[in-house]
Amino acid sequence: MRLFCLLTLLFSLSIQAQVQISGIVTDSNNKALPFATITTSNSTNTITDVDGKFIFNIDSKTGSFAVSYIGFQTKIISITENKKFYPISLSQKTDALQEVIVSNENPALTIIRKVIANKDKNDPQKKLSSFEYKTYNKLLVTANPDSIDGRIDSSAVYKDFNKKKINIDSSDYKFKEIISKQHLFQTEKVSQYQFGENKLKETVLATKIAGFKNPIYEVLAFNLQSISIYDNKYELFETKYENPISRSAPSNYNYKLLDTVNIKGRETFMIYFKNKQKRRASGLEGVLYIDAENFGIAKAVMRIKGVLDISGIHEFEYVPKEKIWFQSNTTFKIVKGKNDDDIKILGGTIQFDGDVADNYEPRKKTASDFTYLLSESNNFDVHYNTSSSIKNPSLYIEIKDDANKKPESFWNEYRKDSLDLKGQKTYQLLDSLSVSKRIEKRLGLGRKIINGYLPIGPIDLDLKKIISYNNYEGFRLGLGGITNDRFSKNFRIEGYTAYGTKDGALKYNLGVGVLLDKSTNTWLNGSYTDDVREIASTFFAVDKRVFKIYDPRPINISTFYKYDSWKANVQTKIIPKTEAVFELSRSFVEPKFDYLFNYNGQLYSSYVMTTAMLSIVWAPFSNFMQTPTGRNESDKKFPRFTFQFTQSLPNVLDNDFTFGKIDFKTEYEKQYLNGQKTSVLLQGGYAIGDVPITHLYNTMPNNLTKETVIQRITFAGRNSFETMFFNEFFSSQYVFFQVKHGFDRIKIMKKVRPSLVLVTRMAWGNMENPEQHVGPTYKTLDKGFFESGIELNKIFKGFGLGGFYRYGPNQLMKFEDNIAVKISYVIDLGL
């Protein structure tokens, strides 16, 4: 959701402190020289980017800086007052860089091989048994006012020589005024990092977010770049790339020796690397500074240039006692790249507008063309081979209860530099804006609504319960909700009531919960429910609640069973990287369709099921954080695995049948910065013993038994077989596999830009003891079921259209019966 990017366009304030110098370095043929070294008068180094451009800050308006590049003569540039852009041309020199390594191969590749061979000796997480340090981080969303053309101070209309009216927009000027006096967003953080037993944990000691009294935990958990430069996969903005010093990197990267430079008194080789693939955004490129003696990394610049221009810089201090380079500073920056579509990042915190307008013509520059994100971290108070233990090492990040309550004296102690006037004004204005516009309250409201709740005093009204429709109940009208923290933080009451206009029956639920442990989100719950449910459907108790303004699939369902159920369960996150539910229940089940269950020659039209169930979701690659409100999944990663085991309890509370069920689900998703997304779902179930058809598997059908394709047009489900008819197949064991790949939005007509999604689904199954199920006629999935389709989503106002085709052993005789056309509806919820 869009929280911060344009909030402060309503205000304007003070001045900028440092002088910012920018420019471009080229050769005599005006060709850009990427990664040329810039050395300032105070001996700090920076380099040009892949386009030969550079930018840095200095504390005075006079002085000089040196520009050097392998094979070219070094040039000293004097800084002139009021001059901020410097085009620099370097001349080639006849004497080449003396090779320090005698080899028949590329000298840069020889150096890289030595870096790889010595990784374990130079990686602090391999060489040291433990270490800890503190970090001060400041993250800004801002812009360089000098890059904005702000000559117009008001909106005006005038006529040219041809008497044509011309409108002049003053928005650039206004934005320049604002950004000269404050940042768009600012946050600070002080953390303690601890490493031991091959695990690294961050504990947030203090946090300060402009405009917010309480921490926004999603912002604190943003994973911008890898902490270690030695990992085989280097992460830059939540995307992993092969590290240029991984074991297999020499076969995938090109390397070039650019220069030799002195860092911290030690000679280093400056190695340029680039992924061999032709597409620039397909891999990392950048520069590694390699210690000439121990071949450790002394500095690293990692960059991706595509729809976003993303860079991560790692700087190190040499520790003679440990004979390693230990990281001292990191810098992360995002600026706009070349993109035709709008791009939202960090949950919508920043939006980069596309380069084309709605009419597909190049648009004029907007604020997002100048906006960038900059995050800088400085490490201090470093201790090596410590003996202190790490509390809850499985947590990626832990936030102290008083992290947002630190006084200004605390911040002044830990800031590397005192907060300048621009930063101070940013806090003042955004805090004032947040209060006047009730930003925090609106943010909390938005989060509730996105999850399907509307807070009304101490109760969150459940929006999912208000109205729905299906073929059995007709319109289902209801009211439901759950108490919130205003009622109690340790006790909750929830419930709902609903009435079906077609079946004329009242349904209801009432439940209570008691918090047993806040840190692990452990609750003890009890409930009673009198309701109906789709037959043979699969529910995982640990699945997250998904709220849709409109859930279309239940419209077509007409086969339900009624159940009266008492339940008691414990839900907890006490096991690292999991969430679990253990439940005991007793249910009276009555099928509401023509069905009898044959159990040892006795026919049951209703039955009692007393069961114990354990459901657990395991996310081994996700990162979890401990907050004052509990334990949360801060960085959802894939694959993730869900397991559920259900066992009936013989001779307990009149239980009728003995059976067990094992269900599992594996999910994988990968999102790309270019807007594409791939998702994979593998799901299955196995029922053992005497299980009525109400509790078996229907493999998620979503097609009506109508004569023509037009008559069968309905809304598409999310993971359902669109060409499989309701009640066509039942199984006592099954496996389901689905692959989806969504492309970025494509242009069909001027204002028609759907997103194309390719879908393939398949399932196999079997029915054991079919003689037990008396009444319904069905088929089995012994030979498999297959369908593929194309979805064009968001064609107009969120509505789309999809076509699916059924093939394989269960293909039907008539060609048109194998085709399903479905309407889709996708809406983006956000603030």
Side-chain angles (χ1 to χ4, degrees):
M1 49 190 156
R2 198 173 304 169
L3 299 178
F4 317 113
C5 186
L6 298 178
L7 288 180
T8 58
L9 292 181
L10 304 174
F11 295 88
S12 57
L13 283 174
S14 186
I15 59 173
Q16 183 155 341
Q18 291 183 316
V19 177
Q20 194 170 67
I21 302 298
S22 61
I24 185 170
V25 179
T26 60
D27 61 12
S28 56
N29 297 319
N30 206 34
K31 182 179 178 181
L33 296 177
F35 305 112
T37 301
I38 312 290
T39 305
T40 62
S41 54
N42 60 357
S43 300
T44 59
N45 291 330
T46 186
I47 59 174
T48 61
D49 64 16
V50 291
D51 300 314
K53 298 177 182 179
F54 64 88
I55 185 170
F56 62 88
N57 293 326
I58 58 172
D59 295 325
S60 64
K61 298 181 180 179
T62 59
S64 63
F65 61 93
V67 183
S68 62
Y69 196 78
I70 184 173
F72 290 79
Q73 296 178 3
T74 299
K75 181 174 286 190
I76 306 297
I77 308 298
S78 297
I79 297 173
T80 305
E81 188 172 359
N82 297 325
K83 184 178 180 180
K84 297 179 180 179
F85 185 82
Y86 293 80
I88 301 165
S89 178
L90 298 184
S91 301
Q92 283 185 301
K93 58 183 178 182
T94 55
D95 58 319
L97 176 71
Q98 181 180 359
E99 299 295 352
V100 292
I101 298 179
V102 179
S103 173
N104 293 326
E105 71 173 349
N106 174 6
L109 185 57
T110 301
I111 296 171
I112 290 296
R113 293 190 190 281
K114 290 183 176 292
V115 172
I116 295 172
N118 288 275
K119 279 176 64 174
D120 289 351
K121 297 179 181 179
N122 293 308
D123 181 359
Q125 295 189 20
K126 293 291 179 63
K127 184 173 184 179
L128 303 176
S129 61
S130 62
F131 57 79
E132 60 181 57
Y133 60 90
K134 291 185 176 70
T135 295
Y136 167 75
N137 171 266
K138 181 165 68 174
L139 185 149
L140 302 174
V141 178
T142 189
N144 175 19
D146 296 327
S147 64
I148 304 170
D149 185 5
R151 293 171 295 175
I152 301 167
D153 60 1
S154 64
S155 185
V157 177
Y158 71 93
K159 294 181 179 180
D160 66 4
F161 292 110
N162 296 320
K163 305 298 182 182
K164 293 181 179 180
K165 287 186 177 181
I166 300 175
N167 290 297
I168 301 178
D169 188 1
S170 63
S171 59
D172 283 357
Y173 174 83
K174 294 176 181 177
F175 182 64
K176 182 173 182 176
E177 284 290 292
I178 292 166
I179 208 63
S180 296
K181 301 171 183 178
Q182 66 173 97
H183 303 297
L184 296 178
F185 176 65
Q186 177 175 275
T187 179
E188 295 176 281
K189 181 175 68 170
V190 175
S191 298
Q192 180 185 33
Y193 283 87
Q194 295 174 287
F195 175 79
E197 299 179 357
N198 297 318
K199 293 181 180 179
L200 182 68
K201 179 187 175 182
E202 176 188 4
T203 301
V204 178
L205 305 176
T207 177
K208 194 174 185 181
I209 301 178
F212 295 88
K213 292 182 179 179
N214 297 311
I216 302 177
Y217 300 122
E218 297 89 341
V219 173
L220 297 179
F222 284 155
N223 194 13
L224 300 177
Q225 64 190 119
S226 285
I227 295 176
S228 173
I229 196 65
Y230 289 97
D231 294 338
N232 287 329
K233 293 291 184 181
Y234 180 81
E235 189 165 359
L236 198 60
F237 193 50
E238 300 185 333
T239 302
K240 290 187 176 181
Y241 304 89
E242 183 176 19
N243 196 318
I245 58 170
S246 68
R247 301 291 178 187
S248 58
S251 61
N252 297 315
Y253 282 91
N254 289 320
Y255 303 92
K256 180 182 179 182
L257 180 61
L258 297 181
D259 209 342
T260 57
V261 296
N262 188 284
I263 297 181
K264 311 295 183 183
R266 294 176 69 88
E267 195 75 9
T268 65
F269 303 125
M270 191 175 172
I271 306 291
Y272 168 67
F273 64 88
K274 185 176 182 179
N275 193 278
K276 290 182 178 179
Q277 299 183 34
K278 292 183 179 180
R279 293 190 304 113
R280 175 175 284 182
S282 61
L284 289 171
E285 63 178 308
V287 174
L288 299 174
Y289 295 77
I290 311 299
D291 189 309
E293 182 179 339
N294 67 2
F295 296 96
I297 305 296
K299 184 178 178 179
V301 179
M302 320 293 271
R303 187 171 181 184
I304 295 294
K305 189 172 183 181
V307 293
L308 293 176
D309 192 346
I310 307 172
S311 60
I313 300 175
H314 300 254
E315 297 180 87
F316 299 80
E317 290 281 349
Y318 186 72
V319 184
K321 181 179 178 181
E322 305 295 340
K323 297 182 179 180
I324 59 169
W325 289 87
F326 196 87
Q327 191 161 271
S328 58
N329 302 282
T330 57
T331 304
F332 175 87
K333 189 174 182 180
I334 298 179
V335 299
K336 181 182 175 182
K338 296 181 179 180
N339 59 293
D340 290 338
D341 295 316
D342 295 348
I343 298 174
K344 297 179 183 180
I345 64 174
L346 303 183
T349 303
I350 305 180
Q351 175 170 323
F352 295 100
D353 296 326
D355 292 323
V356 294
D358 290 339
N359 59 0
Y360 300 98
E361 297 293 333
R363 59 158 180 79
K364 72 181 292 294
K365 287 186 177 295
T366 63
S368 78
D369 291 289
F370 311 107
T371 303
Y372 63 88
L373 180 147
L374 178 65
S375 174
E376 296 179 300
S377 296
N378 308 110
N379 300 341
F380 60 96
D381 195 15
V382 185
H383 301 278
Y384 310 101
N385 296 318
T386 59
S387 58
S388 57
S389 60
I390 303 175
K391 183 181 178 182
N392 296 325
S394 62
L395 294 173
Y396 171 73
I397 181 172
E398 182 173 356
I399 302 170
K400 292 294 186 181
D401 290 353
D402 62 345
N404 63 322
K405 301 174 184 177
K406 298 297 184 183
E408 193 64 22
S409 57
F410 176 93
W411 291 104
N412 291 333
E413 178 184 354
Y414 285 107
R415 287 178 179 132
K416 181 180 180 182
D417 300 308
S418 60
L419 199 64
D420 60 15
L421 186 59
K422 188 172 180 179
Q424 296 174 31
K425 293 294 185 181
T426 301
Y427 278 126
Q428 294 172 8
L429 278 181
L430 290 186
D431 288 348
S432 175
L433 175 68
S434 178
V435 172
S436 63
K437 298 295 183 180
R438 302 169 67 198
I439 299 298
E440 281 194 276
K441 184 172 288 187
R442 291 168 60 188
L443 175 60
L445 175 62
R447 284 173 170 167
K448 295 268 183 142
I449 291 177
I450 287 175
N451 289 311
Y453 292 104
L454 177 63
I456 302 176
I459 298 175
D460 290 343
L461 184 68
D462 192 339
L463 300 178
K464 292 184 68 174
K465 303 298 183 183
I466 296 175
I467 186 171
S468 60
Y469 181 87
N470 61 68
N471 279 336
Y472 175 74
E473 296 177 279
F475 284 101
R476 179 181 168 114
L477 309 175
L479 187 67
I482 183 172
T483 57
N484 55 38
D485 287 351
R486 292 182 60 181
F487 176 81
S488 173
K489 294 183 178 181
N490 302 313
F491 180 77
R492 64 190 180 194
I493 303 173
E494 60 182 320
Y496 66 82
T497 183
Y499 177 79
T501 59
K502 189 173 180 180
D503 69 341
L506 185 70
K507 297 92 179 175
Y508 59 92
N509 161 271
L510 181 64
V512 295
V514 178
L515 181 63
L516 301 181
D517 183 65
K518 183 178 70 172
S519 64
T520 58
N521 302 86
T522 302
W523 286 81
L524 174 63
N525 306 295
S527 67
Y528 175 76
T529 306
D530 184 345
D531 207 339
V532 294
R533 180 175 292 173
E534 177 191 1
I535 70 166
S537 52
T538 302
F539 295 89
F540 290 91
V542 290
D543 276 353
K544 294 296 183 183
R545 171 191 170 97
V546 177
F547 172 63
K548 300 178 182 178
I549 290 181
Y550 180 62
D551 189 3
R553 184 178 176 272
I555 286 181
N556 305 316
I557 303 172
S558 57
T559 313
F560 287 78
Y561 65 88
K562 181 180 182 298
Y563 68 100
D564 301 331
S565 180
W566 291 92
K567 293 182 180 179
N569 67 53
V570 175
Q571 58 183 119
T572 184
K573 297 179 181 178
I574 192 171
I575 303 174
K577 301 202 173 187
T578 69
E579 181 172 355
V581 174
F582 177 72
E583 182 175 273
L584 297 173
S585 69
R586 181 191 187 275
S587 302
F588 173 79
V589 179
E590 182 183 2
K592 308 304 289 186
F593 59 102
D594 183 19
Y595 174 72
L596 295 172
F597 182 59
N598 183 0
Y599 178 63
N600 293 332
Q602 182 178 350
L603 299 178
Y604 287 79
S605 59
S606 60
Y607 31 86
V608 173
M609 310 178 81
T610 305
T611 59
M613 180 267 294
L614 175 64
S615 185
I616 185 168
V617 57
W618 179 43
F621 302 101
S622 292
N623 291 321
F624 289 79
M625 65 178 175
Q626 189 73 47
T627 74
T629 59
R631 188 169 298 176
N632 301 310
E633 189 174 10
S634 59
D635 185 12
K636 185 177 181 179
K637 293 185 180 181
F638 296 90
R640 54 197 298 115
F641 308 93
T642 306
F643 306 91
Q644 186 163 288
F645 176 68
T646 306
Q647 178 63 54
S648 67
L649 303 177
N651 304 317
V652 176
L653 298 177
D654 301 320
N655 176 69
D656 285 320
F657 314 125
T658 301
F659 66 88
K661 288 181 66 177
I662 302 172
D663 297 283
F664 73 91
K665 179 170 60 175
T666 301
E667 303 165 274
Y668 176 81
E669 286 185 8
K670 181 173 179 61
Q671 294 187 346
Y672 308 89
L673 282 177
N674 60 9
Q676 297 189 44
K677 175 182 176 181
T678 301
S679 61
V680 178
L681 172 63
L682 176 65
Q683 184 171 317
Y686 194 99
I688 308 166
D690 301 303
V691 189
I693 205 169
T694 52
H695 289 68
L696 292 180
Y697 306 106
N698 62 13
T699 335
M700 296 165 288
N702 193 33
N703 202 11
L704 300 176
T705 52
K706 303 288 186 179
E707 285 293 326
T708 65
V709 174
I710 300 299
Q711 291 176 318
R712 294 195 298 268
I713 293 179
T714 58
F715 283 90
R718 183 185 178 190
N719 298 317
S720 54
F721 279 109
E722 305 299 337
T723 61
M724 182 185 292
F725 298 105
F726 284 96
N727 302 328
E728 184 179 4
F729 294 90
F730 289 103
S731 305
S732 57
Q733 55 247 226
Y734 81 102
V735 61
F736 168 83
F737 181 72
Q738 172 184 273
V739 179
K740 285 186 177 183
H741 183 80
F743 295 89
D744 197 9
R745 302 185 73 173
I746 58 175
K747 177 182 175 183
I748 295 180
M749 295 191 309
K750 190 172 184 179
K751 291 188 176 182
V752 178
R753 302 183 65 210
S755 59
L756 175 66
V757 181
L758 303 180
V759 184
T760 292
R761 302 183 180 99
M762 58 194 72
W764 291 267
N766 181 45
M767 174 64 81
E768 293 186 357
N769 305 319
E771 69 282 356
Q772 290 185 316
H773 311 293
V774 181
T777 302
Y778 60 89
K779 294 184 285 186
T780 61
L781 290 169
D782 300 77
K783 296 181 180 179
F785 188 96
F786 306 86
E787 79 170 21
S788 295
I790 298 175
E791 297 177 351
L792 290 175
N793 295 324
K794 295 187 285 189
I795 297 175
F796 180 74
K797 300 293 184 181
F799 286 93
L801 202 62
F804 300 86
Y805 184 69
R806 170 176 176 166
Y807 55 94
N810 277 295
Q811 187 175 34
L812 302 175
M813 295 294 292
K814 291 183 179 180
F815 174 77
E816 59 269 24
D817 289 344
N818 297 297
I819 297 174
V821 177
K822 297 298 175 73
I823 300 170
S824 65
Y825 184 67
V826 179
I827 186 170
D828 294 325
L829 290 175
L831 293 182

